[in-house]
């Protein structure tokens, strides 16, 4: 996902919030990513290690760390980070590559067939939404909003510095 090179002028009208379709794309992608991460990690851990063999405390710590890391990336996306979007795409691709052998060896675990199917569908939906036009619009809007805030802060700091230089340190 790349930032569009089209320059925006200062006369463009920008609302307080991004367009509704882009907010919906972000929320749907977040929901699908949470579901696919939990399902894929559960199925991968069950297939390769067996959930009972891991231990509940270690499993809790693993999923807690996963939630914290995902929240950090999602916060970075809300702040307009294109790198975080790319990192999430790569994470889901790697997770799918690790998950793929379990799909081919599904015969011995026939009880999880619906979970496998749901995990694959939700993973593809989250990857599709991560690459969608509306999701990119959301990230760009957040990036532009953060840049505008930085610009305003710099202008305010310059005004305050000019006022202090003009009137001295009276305040």
């Amino acid at each position: 996902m790349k930032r569009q090179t089209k320059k925006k002028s200062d006369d463009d009208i920008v609302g307080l919030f991004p367009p509704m379709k882009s907010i919906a794309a972000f929320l749907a992608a977040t929901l699908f990513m949470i579901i696919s991460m939990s399902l894929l990690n559960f199925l991968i851990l069950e297939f390769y290690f067996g959930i009972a063999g891991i231990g509940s405390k270690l499993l809790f710590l693993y999923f807690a760390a996963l939630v914290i890391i995902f929240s950090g990336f999602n916060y970075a996306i809300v702040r307009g980070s294109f790198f975080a979007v790319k990192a999430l795409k790569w994470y889901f691709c790697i997770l799918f590559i690790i998950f793929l052998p379990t799909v081919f060896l599904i015969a011995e675990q026939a009880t999880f067939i619906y979970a496998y199917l749901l995990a694959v569908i939700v993973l593809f939906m989250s990857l599709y939404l991560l690459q969608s036009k509306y999701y990119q619009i959301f990230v760009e809007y957040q990036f532009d909003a953060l840049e505008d805030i930085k610009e305003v802060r710099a202008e305010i700091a310059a005004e305050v510095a000019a006022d202090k230089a003009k009137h001295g340190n009276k305040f």
Side-chain angles (χ1 to χ4, degrees):
M1 177 175 283
K2 295 178 185 172
R3 179 158 165 37
Q4 290 182 354
T5 57
K6 184 174 68 171
K7 287 286 187 184
K8 297 185 181 205
S9 71
D10 288 337
D11 297 331
D12 289 342
I13 297 174
V14 179
L16 184 60
F17 297 109
M20 281 304 266
K21 287 183 180 178
S22 64
I23 293 174
F26 170 74
L27 293 176
T30 302
L31 178 69
F32 284 133
M33 285 187 288
I34 290 171
I35 292 170
S36 65
M37 264 190 351
S38 60
L39 271 174
L40 288 173
N41 279 298
F42 172 77
L43 291 171
I44 287 170
L45 289 174
E46 174 62 33
F47 182 80
Y48 288 114
F49 304 110
I51 295 291
I54 293 176
S56 61
K57 289 182 182 178
L58 189 60
L59 194 63
F60 175 76
L61 288 175
Y62 174 74
F63 280 115
L66 200 62
V67 166
I68 291 169
I69 291 169
F70 175 74
S71 298
F73 275 104
N74 219 23
Y75 178 74
I77 290 171
V78 169
R79 301 289 287 186
S81 172
F82 294 99
F83 173 75
V85 175
K86 192 179 289 188
L88 279 178
K89 282 183 197 176
W90 278 103
Y91 171 72
F92 281 109
C93 289
I94 290 170
L95 201 60
F96 182 69
I97 289 170
I98 295 170
F99 175 71
L100 206 53
T102 65
V103 173
F104 294 128
L105 302 172
I106 198 171
E108 72 180 48
Q109 296 182 353
T111 56
F112 291 128
I113 289 176
Y114 295 118
Y116 278 85
L117 183 62
L118 181 65
V120 169
I121 289 171
V122 172
L123 173 72
F124 286 142
M125 284 298 297
S126 62
L127 284 173
Y128 172 75
L129 285 171
L130 276 174
Q131 298 179 48
S132 73
K133 173 179 79 171
Y134 296 114
Y135 196 84
Q136 183 173 356
I137 289 171
F138 177 82
V139 177
E140 277 185 41
Y141 190 92
Q142 296 300 98
F143 180 81
D144 290 339
L146 193 63
E147 290 297 313
D148 289 344
I149 289 171
K150 288 178 183 176
E151 257 181 49
V152 168
R153 285 182 181 165
E155 289 177 11
I156 290 173
E159 285 290 325
V160 168
D163 195 43
K164 280 185 180 180
K166 182 178 178 182
H167 298 292
N169 209 2
K170 294 181 183 178
F171 298 108

